[in-house]
Amino acid sequence: VADDEMGDINRQLERRISRLEGVLRLEKTITESGGKIFATNGKKADFNTTLQKCKEAGGSIAAPRNPGENDAIQYFVKTFNTYAYLGVKESLIPGKFQFLDGTELSYTNWHLNEPSGKGEE
């Protein structure tokens, strides 16, 4: 494939992706922060189902690592007037939380007296 032809193919794909992202933004099912795309299907589910659906989509459950990512997750919470699961779990030390892969949280933005470990964080 010639470079010109490859460039044309890339531009066509970029336009198509841009149109698809535009539709998803109109439907309020995606948002972006720091080059990461955050998405939802808007349906309520339990944690394990949410985790599985994220994997099926080729992603992972959202775990905010900075204020921008936290805002992206909050966008869905406000848009759909519901809660959101995070890729965070309580560690072996009560009251301490970590990412699902076991690494220590590098960013938190908890409400006062949270997380309490009562499952309603």
Side-chain angles (χ1 to χ4, degrees):
V1 179
D3 285 344
D4 287 346
E5 191 176 343
M6 187 58 87
D8 288 343
I9 292 169
N10 283 341
R11 282 187 288 282
Q12 288 173 13
L13 288 172
E14 286 171 359
R15 280 194 299 272
R16 185 171 178 142
I17 289 168
S18 179
R19 287 194 321 255
L20 291 170
E21 286 180 344
V23 170
L24 293 172
R25 280 191 182 87
L26 283 174
E27 295 295 317
K28 298 184 178 183
T29 58
I30 68 166
T31 190
E32 204 173 333
S33 178
K36 290 182 182 178
I37 293 177
F38 293 80
T40 183
N41 62 10
K43 297 178 182 176
K44 292 187 178 186
D46 61 32
F47 182 80
N48 289 327
T49 301
T50 302
L51 197 60
Q52 183 61 35
K53 290 293 180 188
C54 290
K55 285 182 183 178
E56 287 173 12
S60 60
I61 194 165
R65 296 177 188 268
N66 58 56
E69 292 180 9
N70 192 68
D71 289 346
I73 297 164
Q74 283 289 349
Y75 168 78
F76 293 128
V77 169
K78 291 174 184 173
T79 298
F80 292 96
N81 192 29
T82 189
Y83 57 84
Y85 289 115
L86 300 177
V88 174
K89 66 180 180 178
E90 192 166 12
S91 72
L92 296 174
I93 303 166
K96 291 282 187 181
F97 287 75
Q98 61 191 18
F99 292 112
L100 295 181
D101 66 5
T103 58
E104 189 175 324
L105 297 182
S106 54
Y107 166 81
T108 59
N109 188 25
W110 303 111
H111 284 291
L112 185 63
N113 300 319
E114 295 292 352
S116 63
K118 296 179 180 172
E120 299 176 0
E121 313 313 326

